Amino acid sequence: MNFTEPKPTIKAFSLKPQDFGEDFEFGVSTAAYQIEGAHSIHDKGASIWDTFTSKKGAIFKNHHGQITCDFYNKYEEDILLMQSMNIRNFRFSLAWSRIIPNGFGAVSKSGIDYYNKVIDFCLKCGITPWVTLYHWDLPQALQDKGGWTNRDIVNWFENYVQVCAQHFGDRVKHWMVLNEPMVFTGAGYFLGVHAPGDKGLKNLLPAIHHAVLCQGIGGRVLRKLLPDAQIGTTFSCSQITPYRNTPRDILAAKKADALLNRLFIEPILGLGYPTEHVPVLKRIEHYINPEDENNMVFDFDFIGVQNYTREMVKHHWFVPYLRAKIVPASKRKVKSTLMDWEVFPPSIYNMIKQFNQYEGVKKIIITENGAAFPDTLINGEVNDTDRKHYLQAHLEQVHKAKKEGANVDGYFVWTFTDNFEWAEGYRTRFGLVYTDFKTQERIVKSSGKWYQSFLGNQ
Ligand code: BGC
């Protein structure tokens, strides 16, 4: 891990979309639970996020996603706004419990109709839909049977992917199987800070292995049913830097890198779990069946790299299994976002380079990058210069990696409108477009106006 240190950006941002190459795609990313609302309309089943947000104290100020941006009802308006902002690629996820209310079994006609309308409207507006199959909102009915810890999830998921491919595959040509498995297994099944709020290794280890299997099986189902589709899956990743240049901190950084950046990609590529740095992962063997080895591997057309920050890591005796601890940005007194994530653009460059080094990675798409800053609405305007600079600085790093030969071919901003930010509720805004959650009014921020003019400049 020899990483490039940051150089301050002195020049004004001067890149144009065509500088990234003809095939490079720019877009915006979202997720169903964060934007849709309409949480119990028609026969929609509850998801683990419906349940988790109803637990007192689970989420900042007990916020929930029952209405959020009301995208369910406002999709036409939002997609038209996207079109007017020159955005030609829209990444969104499907809510499993809207399509199959109990997770397995009867398919909901109204759920299918709804996504058909969204997809058709995108295409009518000249916007390409990029669909994520699973962005964290597991049907509660499946969680009641153990959710990701139950091996049956492999069959439930396979069936769900088939249903989606059969109904939408004639028009959707870009698919992502999972969104950030490290986050939904780690935060949801180990730390308990995301839905379903479970804790401990006994939940984490089976959840990891079943998510790995579903990555592979989901990819295989899509490839079989939709041979001309572009199939990917996405990973959260952050450059890991040792806090001090000591052997212990360097080792701690290696462990964190294995856990945060390598754990889900390496099994797909046939490299197995990175147990050499995190020996506790050897216990996953307990959940591996003989036929799993083949099913864990899949040759994705692209890998979605999602990057927001870098992490500094130090040795720490009291963290069980890992003996490593993240030193938060606030402790380091560096420039950071409202999430307490350091603003460190070279991280995206280094992550592209790190993922590009894997022989089996054919193409990288940056499927998420963005920032939460304290936006204020003054006289009908949001001047979010910090966000604009953040996005520009990250695009410069993506461009640099591309120029040096990395196979990176897309960049999606997280996110389009401010939305429900999981455990943070509505405290942190990431949008290019401001959402007034009382009136559902959309106000394009100055970062959104900049993205619009950047994209228009082709
Ligand atoms: C997730 C998004 C989330 C964003 C900002 C990513 O981890 O995929 O759902 O809102 O980061 O926290």
Side-chain angles (χ1 to χ4, degrees):
M1 287 184 292
N2 274 329
F3 291 128
T4 312
E5 283 306 312
K7 281 194 215 105
T9 315
I10 314 154
K11 290 187 291 137
F13 183 79
S14 62
L15 290 168
K16 297 192 171 48
Q18 55 268 32
D19 297 330
F20 291 77
E22 254 177 41
D23 297 330
F24 199 96
E25 308 279 7
F26 290 93
V28 288
S29 268
T30 63
Y33 188 76
Q34 294 182 271
I35 62 167
E36 285 179 357
H39 71 116
S40 65
I41 205 161
H42 306 303
D43 53 350
K44 180 183 173 291
S47 82
I48 54 174
W49 275 93
D50 291 313
T51 310
F52 191 64
T53 51
S54 69
K55 287 186 191 149
K56 251 194 155 26
I59 306 292
F60 176 76
K61 291 195 176 168
N62 297 318
H63 290 167
H64 53 71
Q66 293 180 5
I67 301 173
T68 177
C69 317
D70 198 23
F71 181 81
Y72 184 88
N73 293 305
K74 290 176 80 76
Y75 71 90
E76 290 197 352
E77 195 187 308
D78 280 352
I79 293 168
L80 283 171
L81 181 59
M82 244 174 246
Q83 186 195 40
S84 76
M85 290 169 67
N86 302 318
I87 294 164
R88 295 290 171 261
N89 293 287
F90 175 30
R91 173 174 176 244
F92 57 92
S93 74
L94 307 177
W96 187 341
S97 67
R98 210 182 275 297
I99 294 175
I100 309 176
N102 287 318
F104 190 71
V107 173
S108 160
K109 183 176 173 320
S110 58
I112 299 287
D113 287 350
Y114 165 65
Y115 288 116
N116 272 332
K117 286 192 285 184
V118 173
I119 292 164
D120 289 344
F121 198 69
C122 282
L123 294 171
K124 188 171 162 205
C125 295
I127 293 174
T128 304
W130 291 60
V131 168
T132 312
L133 285 159
Y134 184 76
H135 200 128
W136 307 356
D137 45 355
L138 187 75
Q140 181 59 42
L142 300 183
Q143 182 55 36
D144 294 343
K145 297 178 183 144
W148 285 97
T149 67
N150 183 341
R151 195 178 166 96
D152 288 346
I153 191 138
V154 176
N155 299 329
W156 305 329
F157 190 71
E158 183 172 9
N159 170 256
Y160 166 61
V161 180
Q162 276 164 356
V163 170
C164 296
Q166 279 154 0
H167 284 91
F168 312 124
D170 55 333
R171 287 150 296 146
V172 175
K173 303 295 173 200
H174 298 82
W175 294 86
M176 283 142 287
V177 178
L178 298 182
N179 182 73
E180 299 188 350
M182 185 59 234
V183 178
F184 77 74
T185 56
Y189 287 86
F190 183 70
L191 299 173
V193 294
H194 276 190
D198 288 349
K199 290 186 182 160
L201 269 190
K202 68 173 192 311
N203 291 310
L204 178 69
L205 298 179
I208 290 175
H209 184 57
H210 301 145
V212 164
L213 282 173
C214 286
Q215 283 181 156
I217 286 166
R220 238 179 290 286
V221 171
L222 291 172
R223 176 77 40 85
K224 183 162 164 241
L225 298 178
L226 311 171
D228 64 338
Q230 284 284 305
I231 303 163
T233 196
T234 76
F235 302 108
S236 48
C237 58
S238 302
Q239 174 185 328
I240 310 287
T241 308
Y243 186 54
R244 292 159 298 212
N245 202 12
T246 61
R248 275 186 176 171
D249 282 8
I250 292 170
L251 181 64
K254 283 199 173 127
K255 287 167 183 273
D257 183 51
L259 193 69
L260 300 179
N261 296 325
R262 298 170 47 205
L263 177 58
F264 284 89
I265 177 124
E266 297 199 353
I268 287 188
L269 302 174
L271 303 170
Y273 291 111
T275 49
E276 77 282 16
H277 287 120
V278 191
V280 71
L281 293 175
K282 286 195 189 122
R283 296 195 208 163
I284 292 183
E285 268 167 29
H286 181 68
Y287 304 95
I288 304 183
N289 286 357
E291 75 274 13
D292 288 359
E293 223 162 284
N294 284 339
N295 287 331
M296 286 157 70
V297 179
F298 183 69
D299 67 324
F300 282 101
D301 298 308
F302 69 91
I303 292 300
V305 163
Q306 314 201 148
N307 172 265
Y308 290 86
T309 187
R310 75 155 161 188
E311 302 293 1
M312 280 213 158
V313 171
K314 68 174 181 188
H315 171 81
H316 204 269
W317 279 116
F318 301 114
V319 179
Y321 314 116
L322 212 56
R323 309 265 177 257
K325 192 180 167 191
I326 286 174
V327 186
S330 48
K331 281 247 164 74
R332 293 185 273 126
K333 302 205 173 19
V334 289
K335 185 165 171 52
S336 61
T337 70
L338 270 187
M339 302 291 282
D340 196 14
W341 295 344
E342 181 182 4
V343 176
F344 190 78
S347 177
I348 203 166
Y349 166 88
N350 287 314
M351 284 299 102
I352 294 170
K353 290 275 173 141
Q354 184 166 328
F355 275 67
N356 195 61
Q357 265 169 22
Y358 289 117
E359 220 172 277
V361 170
K362 297 187 202 157
K363 177 158 102 178
I364 293 169
I365 304 277
I366 303 298
T367 36
E368 286 183 23
N369 172 241
F373 288 110
D375 296 327
T376 39
L377 181 63
I378 301 172
N379 299 329
E381 297 203 346
V382 179
N383 275 316
D384 57 337
T385 323
D386 279 345
R387 182 173 293 102
K388 183 176 86 180
H389 288 155
Y390 176 100
L391 297 173
Q392 292 177 338
H394 283 76
L395 271 174
E396 282 172 347
Q397 296 289 329
V398 174
H399 181 252
K400 181 173 163 209
K402 170 104 188 160
K403 242 183 31 201
E404 290 171 11
N407 200 2
V408 53
D409 249 339
Y411 176 89
F412 287 63
V413 174
W414 183 270
T415 181
F416 186 54
T417 54
D418 297 332
N419 59 36
F420 175 79
E421 175 51 34
W422 308 115
E424 303 296 334
Y426 298 99
R427 185 182 77 83
T428 48
R429 294 172 177 269
F430 278 81
L432 293 169
V433 176
Y434 183 90
T435 307
D436 180 329
F437 290 104
K438 287 206 182 87
T439 62
Q440 290 299 344
E441 195 190 345
R442 310 316 198 213
I443 296 155
V444 182
K445 301 179 193 176
S446 56
S447 61
K449 292 180 188 160
W450 162 75
Y451 200 47
Q452 171 180 33
S453 74
F454 167 72
L455 296 176
N457 208 348
Q458 350 204 6

